[in-house]
Structure formats: structure tokens, C-alpha cells
Amino acid sequence: MAFILALDQGTTSSRALVFDEAGRVRALAQREFTQHFPQPGWVEHDPEEIWQTQAQVAVEAVQKAGLTGVDIRAIGIANQRETTLVWDRATGRPIHRAIVWQDRRTADACDRLRARGVEGLIQRKTGLVVDPYFSGTKAAWLLDHVDGARERAERGELAFGTIDTWLAHRLTGGALHVTDASNASRTMLFDIHAGRWDDELCGGIGVPRAVLPEVRSSGEVLGEALAIPELEGVPIASLVGDQQAATFGQVCVEPGMAKNTYGTGCFLLMNTGDTARASQNRLLSTVAWRRDDATSYALEGAVFVGGAAVQWLRDGLGVIDQAPDIEALANEAPDSGGLYFVPALAGLGSPHWDPHAAGTIVGITRGTTRAHLARATLDAIAHQVADLVEAMSADAGAPLSELRVDGGAAANDLLMQTQADLLGVPVVRPETLETTALGAAYLAGLAVGYWGGVEQIAANWKADRRFEPRRSPDDVKCARERWRDAVARALGWGRGAVDAS
Ligand code: ADP
């Protein structure tokens, strides 16, 4: 018997999972790594720590499954997207810590791009809105703020990469400088229609072509693992952004199928087939994956702070000890008691796109308790996703019939029930919530012939639980209106005081 090893390099932890042919998890290893917050709004990761933790868990997972490298047919890699680093081609050493997708330091650079009137051009070519979220302005920042970096980049001495690129580079002992189309589509430098880097975008944003990796398919043999002795010679057969991976792992392979992932952020993706559909409602159009030279596209809504709001209750406030504890605490109150929490802790993403929005709690009274706050936090996650679903339904011209869910926070039954209530459609949770790793495994396994075709993997998908909507439509309408009102109060707050005179 052979197996597939998936590396799931997430925002808060590096994970590795071994899958069998039925798509079942045979072993899992996970290690958290350090989050650096050097200034308000800045978030950094140490690329060496990312590589070390990822290499450690890869070995650990294979050992836990009672296997060795010869049992592994292929490695698939899913990664936190947009997180940006630059390294020295000669030494392989990063010139700076990686700038994480949540980082807002390039908000002003984005304001300047918008002032130059290039937003329409960027949106047409990349399917993205101008926002610090994406890699392009982060790469330009690194080149402008590390001594001599821009000159060295122009001379071809430096390499830019997202985390997929970095892991493929390290895993092959420096042989590869590649990315896949799904990750490239998150840079603001990639023309998603033509399927290539775009000179006009690179020039406008200030990223020299010389630093960019080669863009490959999301599922193809790219090279062999060399840097981890226990896995030497195993083919690396997929690179894919984590949200696109989860979409594939949920087998949303037909146009119109959609999934939402509840992790650090929340990400709703709907497959739109071989056309990149332009959003009329401030969503993104993005590459879902490229397989056998055919590109599939998706509409995407991205919420920056989903499960991370629960982490803030845990780490920032100390209201809970562990993330799952929020469910029992929230269940101590029948509702939020009128409390609304807009978790704009890293600005707001789709559909508001306001990097200056700030976290806001409204409706506090003498009766407000920790339980109300816990409840309002879960409500907020579900409201943000409802905002995405509304925008997507408007773009698609049809309501969703059901929502497939996954991610760490999808284990929370109260959150899933609240979600079904706010959407008015069933929420369906599959047996395996490890859809990100599974998607990377599927893409790699298909590329090496481990699975015969998409029909075979579709048969692996099984529902664990369906959450049916229970709340009255009037009640939901009222809650949605209050939520929108709360969001309006959070917008723009971070710009500073408004002159009231
Ligand atoms: P990522 O891949 O983005 O690191 P995961 O899918 O592992 O995220 O999910 C972890 C996130 O989900 C954390 O932000 C955590 O706070 C949240 N989370 C985990 N379990 C629960 C739970 N039972 N209820 C609510 N939130 C949870």
C-alpha cells in the first residue's frame, strides 16, 4: 500500500498529514510557530522557523503512521497564501522576516495606487481589489526597506516567493524557484486571464520581473524532496493555496459548488469553471487551480478575522483557556443580549475592503457578561460569512442551495447552527475537516496516478452533519440589520479622530 503526504503550512501552525486511498487521515503532526507583531498592524513570520517546523512535522507524521519514505507516493503542499518573503539566491537566506497576509503596513502604498487610478486595471487583469492583503505591495516594501535590496533584485540576485515557493525551494535543496497559478493569482502581479506575470503590473507596483518564480500547474511533478533524509526522492507533485486546496478537498469541482473555511480567517470560494467571472459585489475572482494546462477559476470572499477573534478572546482577553471552550461559554447565554462585535482586528476584507476599519464592540450594558461576548464573537463570524454569501449569490444570480464547511472552527456546533440560521440554507459539515491538506493530497495523487480521476475522489466525500435553519426570517432580518449598523461604526476608525467642529 502507498500513501500521500500533505504539508499544510498554515498561518499559525505547520502541519503534515498522511492520507490513504479512501482520503482518510492515517496520521497527523502539527507544530505552532511564533507570530511576530513588531508594530500595530504588522504581522511577521520567521521563514526559517516555518521551514524547520514543516520539515519536523513531515517526518513525524510519516513515523506516526508507521511508514517510511518509500511508502509515500507523492508530497502535496498547501500553504497560507499571500505571505511574502525574499531571499538571496546565492545563500538561500531570507533578507527579512516574511510579511504575513494579515499585515497592513502597505495600506498607504495601496492608497497611492488607488490615487494613481490603476485600480480598474488591476481588477481587470488580476481579479483582485487593491489591498495590502496581496503579495505585490509587500514584496515592493521589502525591496524598498532592506538596504540595497532593490539594486540586488534588479541584478537578479534575489528571489521572491510565497510560502509554497519557499517550501519547494527548501525541500529540493534549492533546486526549484516555482509557484503555482493559484498562489500567483494572489500577488497582484499575475494576469489571471493570460495566465502569466504581467509587466505593466510589475512596473506599476515596483516588483522587478527578475525576482519572480516560474508559474507551474497546481498538480504536476515539480521535483524530488532532497533536504529531508527520511523523505529523500519522494516526488513533490502539488503546490496550491490553502483555500483553493480546501475547495478541491471538498470536491467543489463543478461550477456553482461552494465551500466556506472557518480558520484564522473565513474564506468562501465558489467554482466558476473555466471563466474568471468579474464580481459586481466587491468579491475577488481568482485561479482555483491549474491542472493539465486547464485553468479553473473561483469567486472568493475573504474575511480576515474569523477564528482569530476566538484566539483574541483566549490570548488578548483571557476570557477562555482554549478555543473550543467558547462554545460552552456562549451557550451560557441564550443570545448576545444585544451585543455586536465587529472583529475588524486587521481591517475588513470582502466586501468592505477597508484596511482602516477597527475592531468595535457596541451595545455594552451593565448586564453584559463574558457569555454575551462569546456569543457575539460566534455571531460575528457567522455574520461576516453571511455578508460573503449575500455578495456571492448576487454575483451568481442565484442563491446558494447549501454551504459546505470546513476549518478548525467548523467543529463548533453552535457556530454552524448560527450560520445556517443567518443564511436560511443548510450548512453541511463533511466527515473530514482536513480538506486543505486533503485537497493538496488529491492534486498530488492525481498527478502521479495514485487516484484515477476526479470521480474516484468525489466518492470519498461524506457528510458528517447537516445544520438546518431554525430561526424565524423576521428575527434574522433584524439581526442582519443591526450587524450592518455595527459594521458601519467600525469603518474608517483607524484613520484617526474626525474633526467634529
Ligand atoms: P488555520 O489553518 O488558519 O491556522 P484552523 O483551520 O486550524 O486555522 O483553525 C484554527 C482557528 O479556529 C483558530 O483561530 C481557533 O481560534 C479557531 N477554533 C478552533 N476550534 C474552535 C472552536 N471549537 N470554536 C471556535 N473557534 C475555534
Side-chain angles (χ1 to χ4, degrees):
M1 249 179 111
F3 300 86
I4 302 288
L5 175 65
L7 308 184
D8 174 8
Q9 207 302 305
T11 308
T12 53
S13 68
S14 296
R15 315 168 76 228
L17 292 89
V18 176
F19 288 99
D20 64 18
E21 219 179 307
R24 280 186 302 247
V25 178
R26 286 300 185 101
L28 182 159
Q30 172 165 3
R31 212 158 280 195
E32 290 206 8
F33 55 86
T34 320
Q35 309 288 318
H36 299 272
F37 305 107
Q39 290 188 30
W42 291 30
V43 189
E44 297 179 353
H45 291 159
D46 175 358
E48 295 292 350
E49 196 184 358
I50 284 187
W51 162 246
Q52 294 297 340
T53 52
Q54 193 62 69
Q56 285 160 1
V57 292
V59 173
E60 225 173 282
V62 173
Q63 284 171 351
K64 268 191 183 171
L67 305 172
T68 67
V70 294
D71 304 307
I72 305 295
R73 273 286 289 284
I75 297 172
I77 300 177
N79 58 289
Q80 55 163 321
R81 306 175 302 172
E82 298 101 8
T83 297
T84 299
L85 71 153
V86 172
W87 65 87
D88 183 325
R89 288 186 192 270
T91 63
R93 269 198 224 104
I95 62 166
H96 191 275
R97 284 205 289 246
I99 304 183
V100 178
W101 57 274
Q102 296 158 318
D103 190 290
R104 316 266 86 205
R105 78 185 63 181
T106 59
D108 291 343
C110 289
D111 287 345
R112 286 194 294 277
L113 280 174
R114 257 184 249 107
R116 271 165 46 198
V118 292
E119 198 171 14
L121 174 88
I122 291 175
Q123 196 155 20
R124 260 194 322 279
K125 286 190 173 179
T126 69
L128 307 175
V129 302
V130 175
D131 192 87
Y133 176 28
F134 305 107
S135 312
T137 57
K138 297 183 196 297
W141 188 96
L142 287 171
L143 298 183
D144 288 332
H145 289 81
V146 175
D147 250 3
R150 187 161 284 286
E151 296 71 36
R152 299 190 59 211
E154 307 277 2
R155 287 200 299 269
E157 294 170 18
L158 301 180
F160 152 86
T162 39
I163 297 297
D164 55 316
T165 309
W166 174 240
L167 292 179
H169 178 76
R170 275 297 167 100
L171 203 48
T172 56
L176 288 180
H177 186 217
V178 295
T179 187
D180 88 300
S182 72
N183 277 294
S185 77
R186 316 297 297 185
T187 57
M188 258 181 7
L189 308 170
F190 185 74
D191 181 331
I192 57 170
H193 310 283
R196 54 176 139 74
W197 300 121
D198 185 274
D199 284 327
E200 196 178 5
L201 295 171
C202 292
I205 292 167
V207 179
R209 279 291 287 264
V211 302
L212 297 179
E214 183 191 351
V215 182
R216 304 282 293 266
S217 289
S218 315
E220 69 168 290
V221 175
L222 297 160
E224 286 182 358
L226 278 177
I228 303 176
E230 291 88 340
L231 294 171
E232 203 174 325
V234 180
I236 301 164
S238 75
L239 299 181
V240 60
D242 54 8
Q243 297 310 319
Q244 286 90 336
T247 310
F248 202 77
Q250 289 266 33
V251 207
C252 293
V253 292
E254 300 294 333
M257 293 179 82
K259 69 86 204 174
N260 186 63
T261 298
Y262 299 81
T264 304
C266 292
F267 299 89
L268 177 67
L269 272 81
M270 180 193 274
N271 190 316
T272 61
D274 56 12
T275 5
R277 185 115 47 103
S279 173
Q280 307 302 318
N281 293 283
R282 313 275 291 153
L283 298 175
L284 311 171
S285 33
T286 199
V287 171
W289 44 77
R290 191 194 283 174
R291 295 181 59 225
D292 303 329
D293 289 330
T295 302
S296 294
Y297 296 90
L299 270 173
E300 173 176 328
V303 160
F304 297 146
V305 173
V310 178
Q311 276 171 344
W312 178 68
L313 254 59
R314 183 192 67 182
D315 304 337
L317 300 185
V319 167
I320 46 174
D321 288 332
Q322 291 181 338
D325 296 346
I326 194 170
E327 189 167 357
L329 180 59
N331 269 322
E332 287 175 19
D335 54 41
S336 75
L339 196 71
Y340 282 80
F341 172 23
V342 183
L345 311 182
L348 284 175
S350 323
H352 312 285
W353 299 110
D354 181 4
H356 305 288
T360 304
I361 299 175
V362 288
I364 305 170
T365 68
R366 287 286 294 272
T368 301
T369 65
R370 295 153 70 244
H372 291 124
L373 179 60
R375 189 103 197 184
T377 303
L378 297 181
D379 287 352
I381 298 173
H383 274 296
Q384 292 187 100
V385 172
D387 289 346
L388 300 182
V389 170
E390 276 174 15
M392 202 161 279
S393 302
D395 271 341
L400 276 187
S401 54
E402 62 174 38
L403 184 66
R404 289 187 175 188
V405 297
D406 53 52
N412 188 314
D413 289 347
L414 178 59
L415 174 60
M416 294 301 102
Q417 185 58 52
T418 306
Q419 190 69 79
D421 288 342
L422 290 184
L423 293 179
V425 300
V427 164
V428 190
R429 189 168 65 191
E431 273 176 6
T432 174
L433 290 182
E434 299 294 351
T435 53
T436 300
L438 186 58
Y442 280 160
L443 285 162
L446 286 166
V448 298
Y450 179 78
W451 284 289
V454 170
E455 321 70 51
Q456 197 187 344
I457 61 170
N460 289 342
W461 191 92
K462 290 191 184 63
D464 154 55
R465 190 163 162 192
R466 269 173 90 82
F467 297 84
E468 301 287 343
R470 291 202 297 234
R471 226 163 126 184
S472 82
D474 281 351
D475 207 22
V476 170
K477 188 162 170 268
C478 184
R480 296 286 295 142
E481 273 164 17
R482 290 297 274 170
W483 163 256
R484 279 189 279 269
D485 195 355
V487 169
R489 287 155 205 259
L491 295 174
W493 182 264
R495 280 189 197 279
V498 177
D499 185 358
S501 60

